[in-house]
Coordinates of all heavy atoms in Angstrom, one line a residue:
E264 N 87.6 71.1 33.5 CA 86.4 70.3 33.8 C 86.6 68.8 33.4 O 85.7 68.1 33.4 CB 85.2 70.8 33.1 CG 84.9 72.3 33.2 CD 84.6 72.7 34.7 OE1 83.9 71.9 35.3 OE2 85.0 73.7 35.1
G265 N 87.8 68.5 32.9 CA 88.0 67.2 32.3 C 89.0 66.4 33.1 O 89.7 66.9 34.1
N266 N 89.1 65.0 32.7 CA 90.0 64.1 33.4 C 91.3 64.0 32.5 O 91.3 63.5 31.5 CB 89.4 62.8 33.5 CG 90.3 61.7 34.0 OD1 91.5 62.0 34.4 ND2 89.9 60.4 34.0
P267 N 92.5 64.5 33.1 CA 93.7 64.5 32.3 C 94.2 63.1 32.0 O 95.1 62.9 31.1 CB 94.7 65.2 33.2 CG 94.1 65.2 34.5 CD 92.6 65.1 34.4
K268 N 93.7 62.1 32.7 CA 94.1 60.7 32.5 C 93.1 59.9 31.7 O 93.3 58.7 31.4 CB 94.3 60.0 33.8 CG 95.3 60.7 34.8 CD 96.7 60.2 34.7 CE 97.8 61.0 35.3 NZ 97.7 61.0 36.7
A269 N 92.1 60.6 31.1 CA 91.1 59.8 30.4 C 91.6 59.1 29.2 O 91.2 58.0 28.9 CB 89.9 60.8 30.0
F270 N 92.4 59.8 28.4 CA 93.0 59.2 27.2 C 94.5 59.3 27.2 O 95.0 60.5 27.1 CB 92.4 60.0 25.9 CG 90.9 59.9 25.9 CD1 90.1 61.0 26.3 CD2 90.3 58.7 25.4 CE1 88.7 61.0 26.2 CE2 88.9 58.7 25.4 CZ 88.1 59.8 25.8
P271 N 95.2 58.2 27.2 CA 96.7 58.3 27.0 C 97.1 58.7 25.6 O 96.6 58.2 24.7 CB 97.2 56.9 27.4 CG 95.9 56.1 27.6 CD 94.7 56.9 27.3
L272 N 97.8 59.7 25.5 CA 98.2 60.3 24.2 C 99.8 60.3 24.0 O 100.5 60.4 25.0 CB 97.7 61.7 24.0 CG 96.2 61.8 24.0 CD1 95.7 63.2 24.2 CD2 95.6 61.3 22.6
P273 N 100.3 60.2 22.8 CA 101.7 60.1 22.6 C 102.4 61.5 22.9 O 101.9 62.5 22.5 CB 101.9 59.7 21.1 CG 100.6 60.2 20.5 CD 99.6 60.1 21.5
E274 N 103.6 61.4 23.5 CA 104.2 62.6 23.9 C 105.1 63.3 22.8 O 105.4 64.4 22.9 CB 105.1 62.2 25.1 CG 105.7 63.3 25.9 CD 106.7 62.8 26.8 OE1 106.4 62.1 27.7 OE2 107.9 63.1 26.6
G275 N 105.4 62.5 21.8 CA 106.1 63.0 20.7 C 107.6 63.1 20.9 O 108.2 64.2 20.9

Side-chain angles (χ1 to χ4, degrees):
E264 310 295 324
N266 172 9
K268 304 267 167 70
F270 300 102
L272 293 165
E274 189 191 297

